[in-house]
Amino acid sequence: AQSVTQPDIHITVSEGASLELRCNYSYGATPYLFWYVQSPGQGLQLLLKYFSGDTLVQGIKGFEAEFKRSQSSFNLRKPSVHWSDAAEYFCAVVQGAQKLVFGQGTRLTINP
Amino acid sequence: EPEVTQTPSHQVTQMGQEVILRCVPISNHLYFYWYRQILGQKVEFLVSFYNNEISEKSEIFDDQFSVERPDGSNFTLKIRSTKLEDSAMYFCASSDLWGNTEAFFGQGTRLTVV
């Protein structure tokens, strides 16, 4: 079965610094990959997705992610974080055709 | 912008009671899902629903759980006899295609079983 690993449970960065959140997946074929963000008390909002084609995908709020098949990774990046980016970030992969399998999440804290 | 709406936002219930969580998916979507997130843990798939029947369910979705689309707009999750371990955030989602498309999530219902 497909699985997703987010190695970092909690990351703290300073406002204005760059960010990279790691995601590794386990899947035999080309995966469909997603990054979602969850602000405190809120639902899940899609940041970006990868299905095929260009391995560098752009998302909302200035985020991007790069699919690297050789490393089974789909890391999320942002060149300069804002205080409003503090949230929980979830990487997910589609399993079969009907459901998302989520990673454990990475909680991002922004220092002023 | 269309959105998935869930009610209530927070529900407190006594152990053993039945609860119904309600969702209004995006109107032209055909596929509906429930996910659960226990506090501090990852989001877990519960069930998917299409054409008025369950398409897939997880091990969590035992016979205490049921889903229904009682009319053209609502999609409900019922827990017949709640247990303490059912306390979680429950997310409804909908999509217009299988798999390789975006699932839109609602804001969630926080269920607290006391």
Side-chain angles (χ1 to χ4, degrees):
Chain A
Q2 290 88 322
S3 66
V4 176
T5 302
Q6 294 181 245
D8 304 304
I9 296 173
H10 185 200
I11 283 183
T12 300
V13 299
S14 297
E15 190 168 16
S18 63
L19 172 71
E20 183 168 31
L21 302 183
R22 295 184 290 165
C23 172
N24 294 99
Y25 65 89
S26 167
Y27 190 68
T30 300
Y32 298 138
L33 293 158
F34 300 79
W35 274 99
Y36 283 86
V37 60
Q38 183 184 27
S39 297
Q42 302 297 308
L44 296 164
Q45 181 183 24
L46 181 71
L47 285 176
L48 46 78
K49 58 191 176 186
Y50 172 78
F51 295 152
S52 64
D54 193 347
T55 56
L56 184 64
V57 292
Q58 302 296 320
I60 63 171
K61 304 185 180 186
F63 285 92
E64 66 178 26
E66 186 170 13
F67 171 64
K68 292 185 177 180
R69 183 188 301 277
S70 62
Q71 299 177 18
S72 297
S73 69
F74 187 56
N75 294 347
L76 182 71
R77 301 194 295 247
K78 186 169 184 178
S80 177
V81 297
H82 186 262
W83 64 267
S84 60
D85 293 323
E88 187 100 18
Y89 291 80
F90 292 94
C91 182
V93 65
V94 172
Q95 181 171 9
Q98 303 182 45
K99 69 185 185 187
L100 291 168
V101 175
F102 286 85
Q104 291 278 52
T106 298
R107 184 160 60 93
L108 175 65
T109 299
I110 308 294
N111 281 338
Chain B
E1 184 176 328
E3 61 180 12
V4 176
T5 305
Q6 290 185 243
T7 55
S9 57
H10 190 192
Q11 172 111 32
V12 181
T13 189
Q14 288 198 325
M15 192 169 50
Q17 294 297 305
E18 175 185 284
V19 293
I20 297 176
L21 309 183
R22 303 181 190 279
C23 169
V24 178
I26 293 174
S27 61
N28 62 340
H29 284 183
L30 301 175
Y31 306 93
F32 313 112
Y33 315 85
W34 283 101
Y35 289 80
R36 170 181 93 170
Q37 183 184 31
I38 294 173
L39 188 64
Q41 298 186 23
K42 64 180 174 182
V43 179
E44 302 172 288
F45 170 80
L46 290 178
V47 65
S48 59
F49 190 87
Y50 168 69
N51 199 25
N52 284 319
E53 61 182 25
I54 290 173
S55 305
E56 184 177 354
K57 59 184 180 180
S58 72
E59 295 174 350
I60 303 167
F61 195 90
D62 61 22
D63 56 9
Q64 290 300 307
F65 291 87
S66 63
V67 289
E68 191 179 30
R69 188 156 164 82
D71 52 42
S73 60
N74 290 285
F75 179 52
T76 62
L77 174 70
K78 181 193 290 186
I79 309 174
R80 288 188 181 80
S81 178
T82 51
K83 303 186 285 288
L84 294 176
E85 53 264 38
D86 293 327
S87 295
M89 181 74 93
Y90 289 81
F91 291 106
C92 174
S94 68
S95 67
D96 57 359
L97 289 172
W98 285 133
N100 60 338
T101 188
E102 177 181 353
F104 289 79
F105 283 80
Q107 297 286 73
T109 292
R110 178 162 297 286
L111 176 66
T112 302
V113 182
V114 296

